[in-house]
């Protein structure tokens, strides 16, 4: 059992674990006011849920305009805030601050039983992914036991542009960021069906955003159909995306929409409810 007295480690510094045993004894010299103010800036956007001017941020955080400006420009440089010269807003990078916490509480562990049930019902593989820059990272997967099946390794990455999961997650980004996303898109064709025109890709994102799902028909790999929808918390924040991948010899695009989309939506709803418990 640890005591509340900070211990010395072999390097002669305070052991960080024991240093936080008694948080009531936090002294003023241990308090980093600049970090606290930076967090206050980020929290102000969460409270207002809107873009703000410099003056509005200063008022929300009870800081002077000069102080708020320094913190905002630092956050812009670090990629957590974006500005058009007048208005400031958070970027998706702030989600990284909470992802390690979400991982620890087992969000994807909770999702897996529902994904397994979906795979059993459909006889097809199911994966979950998150967005990392312009790539998707697979964080959970259930492989169907078929002679021909789609296998994805957890931790593996793919371009977000030619995966159903990726398109769902890109379309979920604020439209203000779409210009930058498309400008940086490397639309290198994977098959003869791959979208390579950036204007056409914007139309793809608009369609995905409006319909709430993405169907990729052999754009990533010949003979592969993939259908994905966003997985959201009850607050509406997107946690990731889940999909069903099916060899084209067993399905058509119409079948994917008519048969698999309702099951995928039902699974996402069940996962969402489980996260709220």
């Amino acid at each position: 059992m640890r005591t509340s007295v900070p211990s010395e480690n072999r390097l002669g510094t305070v052991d960080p674990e024991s240093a936080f045993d008694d948080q009531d004894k936090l002294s003023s010299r241990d308090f980093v006011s600049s970090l606290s103010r930076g967090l206050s800036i980020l929290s102000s956007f969460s409270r207002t849920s809107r873009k703000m001017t410099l003056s509005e941020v200063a008022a929300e955080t009870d800081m002077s305009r000069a102080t708020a400006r320094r913190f905002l420009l630092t956050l812009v440089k670090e990629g957590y805030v974006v500005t058009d010269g007048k208005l400031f807003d958070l970027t998706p990078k702030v989600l990284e601050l909470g992802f390690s916490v979400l991982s620890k509480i087992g969000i994807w562990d909770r999702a897996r039983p529902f994904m397994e049930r979906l795979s059993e019902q459909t006889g097809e593989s199911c994966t979950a992914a998150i967005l990392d820059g312009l790539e998707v990272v697979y964080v959970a997967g259930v492989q169907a036991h078929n002679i021909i099946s789609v296998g994805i390794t957890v931790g593996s990455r793919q371009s977000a542009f030619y995966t159903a999961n990726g398109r769902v997650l890109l379309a979920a980004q604020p439209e203000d960021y779409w210009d930058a996303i498309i400008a940086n898109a490397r639309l290198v064709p994977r098959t003869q069906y791959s979208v390579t025109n950036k204007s056409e890709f914007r139309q793809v994102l608009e369609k995905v955003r409006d319909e709430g799902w993405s169907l990729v028909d052999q754009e990533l790999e010949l003979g592969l159909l993939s259908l994905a929808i966003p997985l959201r918390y009850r607050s509406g924040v997107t946690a990731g995306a889940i999909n069903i991948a099916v060899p084209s010899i067993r399905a058509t695009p119409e079948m994917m929409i008519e048969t698999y989309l309702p099951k995928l939506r039902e699974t996402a709803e069940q996962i969402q409810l489980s996260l709220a418990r």
Side-chain angles (χ1 to χ4, degrees), residues 35-45 47 60-61 63:
L35 175 59
S36 177
R37 289 186 174 189
L39 293 174
S40 177
I41 293 277
L42 294 177
S43 298
S44 69
F45 287 95
R47 290 194 300 269
E60 279 288 330
T61 56
M63 297 182 193

Side-chain angles (χ1 to χ4, degrees), residues 11 14 17 34 42 48 51-53 63-64 73 93 95 108 124 173-174 186-187 194 200-201 205 233 252 277:
L11 297 180
V14 174
E17 289 195 14
S34 59
L42 294 177
T48 60
K51 299 178 183 179
M52 291 190 287
T53 63
M63 297 182 193
S64 68
L73 293 181
K93 188 176 180 181
L95 298 177
W108 305 114
E124 305 296 348
Q173 303 305 306
R186 296 183 68 252
L187 298 178
S194 302
E200 186 179 349
F201 188 77
L205 289 185
Y233 297 104
T252 63
R277 293 171 189 160

